[in-house]
């Protein structure tokens, strides 16, 4: 039976439980969800090919108007370029939550929803909105709007078919009957200009790191070649590079190159993605086929993201650019890999005491003399230390819930 004396403790415990859940609620992966629905494999493929998937995943509130394979066929028959197809598909992603229940409870029977096509500034004028209408008999229709806000006439109006996945009030994936029609979205679109990474860093407060990279043609080429397939760069501030330069000058040419490449992650990752997916990541230095790991651990406390190498801990201080397929973040320290530098505690360890001649003693090896851990062990240790945001939030939620139950029953 519940003890009334313990009931006053429930509100703060429930508050802590509620605070632990958002990290679990907001995270989703659109391609993983749609992968379990083979009828939408074509739509899912082009979300990835046009790089819309990562844009969807980074949003906290989104509604995807999915089209099945047969519905995608007429759209693909138009042979649109990938940049144009991206605009068309972004028209099918609404930046608000519309679950099946909400669609049938629209105030005054009609609503104008903003799409990613409009919200990202790709839509000309005031186009890029979607008119949602709840008709009598349960029919819900969708129509793209012209730049004058009028609905675009369509020979085959698109309508709500079914709900595929709902995660109130963050994610809703619903099927519509046919693709939305929009002359503005289907207008020829040019591919985005490639990002000049060194020039960008030079203009955004990372001039010294940019200069070091430019002075190493091989490393510069690796960065440039990686940009098209997806790249995340962690760029130390000029002040951080100045402090690090004495160490950098003492490195071999191969060591300098490894340090530069250590600041690149060969996958595009938004800041939200870094916050949601803590753990060990590999780097461009790893991809070179290096004999050692050259990885580090990403952690966050809900607000700040830190990068831990085992030698240094750097914090992300700014976003220089976040435009799929490239993201560049400013950090406050140079990342020093364990493969090239000793941790501070190792460097400061006292030397073994001198022994009198004639006496034989066995001293334990210092950390610097110890053999390197196996790569798998290093990754496992880093994962154990870092944990994961989802695992931590789940553990907190479970612990608080258990405590609350114990108080009620005591």
């Amino acid at each position: 039976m519940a003890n009334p004396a313990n009931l006053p403790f429930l509100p703060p415990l429930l508050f802590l439980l509620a605070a632990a859940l958002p990290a679990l609620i907001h995270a989703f992966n659109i391609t993983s969800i749609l992968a379990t629905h083979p009828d939408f494999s074509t739509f899912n493929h082009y979300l990835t090919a046009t790089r819309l998937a990562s844009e969807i995943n980074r949003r906290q509130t989104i509604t995807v108007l999915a089209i099945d394979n047969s519905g995608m066929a007429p759209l693909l028959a138009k042979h649109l370029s990938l940049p144009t197809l991206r605009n068309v598909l972004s028209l099918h992603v609404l930046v608000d939550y519309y679950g099946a229940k909400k669609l049938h409870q629209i105030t005054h029977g009609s609503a104008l929803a903003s799409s990613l096509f409009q919200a990202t500034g790709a839509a000309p004028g005031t186009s890029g909105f979607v008119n949602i209408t709840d008709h009598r008999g349960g029919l819900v229709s969708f129509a793209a709007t012209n730049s004058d806000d009028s609905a675009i006439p369509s020979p085959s109006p698109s309508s709500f078919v079914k709900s595929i996945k709902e995660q109130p009030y963050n994610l809703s994936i619903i099927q519509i009957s046919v693709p939305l029609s929009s002359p503005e979205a289907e207008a020829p679109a040019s591919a985005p200009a490639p990002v000049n990474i060194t020039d960008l860093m030079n203009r955004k407060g990372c001039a010294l790191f940019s200069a070091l990279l430019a002075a190493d043609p091989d490393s510069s080429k690796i960065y440039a070649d990686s940009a098209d397939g997806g790249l995340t760069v962690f760029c130390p501030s000029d002040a951080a590079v100045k402090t690090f330069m004495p160490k950098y000058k003492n490195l071999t040419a191969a060591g300098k190159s490894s340090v530069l490449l250590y600041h690149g992650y060969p996958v595009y990752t938004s800041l939200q993605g870094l916050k949601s997916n803590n753990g060990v990541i590999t780097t461009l230095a790893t991809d070179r086929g290096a004999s050692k790991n050259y990885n580090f651990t990403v952690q966050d406390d809900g607000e700040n993201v830190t990068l831990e190498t085992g030698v240094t801990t750097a914090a992300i201080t700014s976003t220089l650019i976040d435009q799929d397929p490239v993201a560049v973040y400013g950090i406050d320290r140079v990342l020093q890999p364990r493969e090239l530098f000793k941790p501070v505690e190792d460097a400061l360890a006292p030397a073994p005491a001198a022994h009198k001649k004639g006496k034989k003693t066995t001293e334990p090896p210092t950390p610097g003399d110890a053999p390197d851990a196996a790569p798998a062990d290093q990754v496992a240790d880093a994962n154990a230390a870092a944990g994961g945001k989802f695992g931590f939030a789940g553990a907190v939620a479970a612990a608080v819930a258990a405590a609350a139950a114990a108080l009620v029953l005591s």
Side-chain angles (χ1 to χ4, degrees), residues 239-325:
V241 174
K242 285 181 181 178
T243 302
F244 177 71
M245 280 308 294
K247 290 185 178 181
Y248 185 79
K249 291 178 179 178
N250 286 331
L251 293 172
T252 63
K256 291 176 180 178
S257 181
S258 293
V259 168
L260 295 174
L261 294 175
Y262 192 60
H263 289 75
Y265 173 42
V267 176
Y268 162 76
T269 311
S270 67
L271 189 59
Q272 184 62 37
L274 290 172
K275 290 181 177 181
S276 301
N277 298 286
N278 293 181
V280 176
I281 64 172
T282 58
T283 66
L284 290 175
T286 308
D287 276 5
R288 294 177 71 204
S291 59
K292 297 191 178 181
N293 287 325
Y294 283 103
N295 53 36
F296 57 80
T297 302
V298 177
Q299 293 194 31
D300 90 288
D301 58 8
E303 291 296 329
N304 301 313
V305 179
T306 58
L307 314 175
E308 300 186 2
T309 74
V311 179
T312 54
T313 298
I316 292 180
T317 57
S318 63
T319 299
L320 277 61
I321 185 174
D322 183 356
Q323 181 179 318
D324 190 2

Side-chain angles (χ1 to χ4, degrees), residues 10 14 78 118 148 155 162 184 191 194 230 243 279 312-313 377 386:
L10 280 178
L14 293 176
K78 297 180 180 181
Q118 192 278 330
D148 61 359
K162 66 180 180 182
E184 289 89 350
T243 302
T312 54
T313 298
D377 294 338

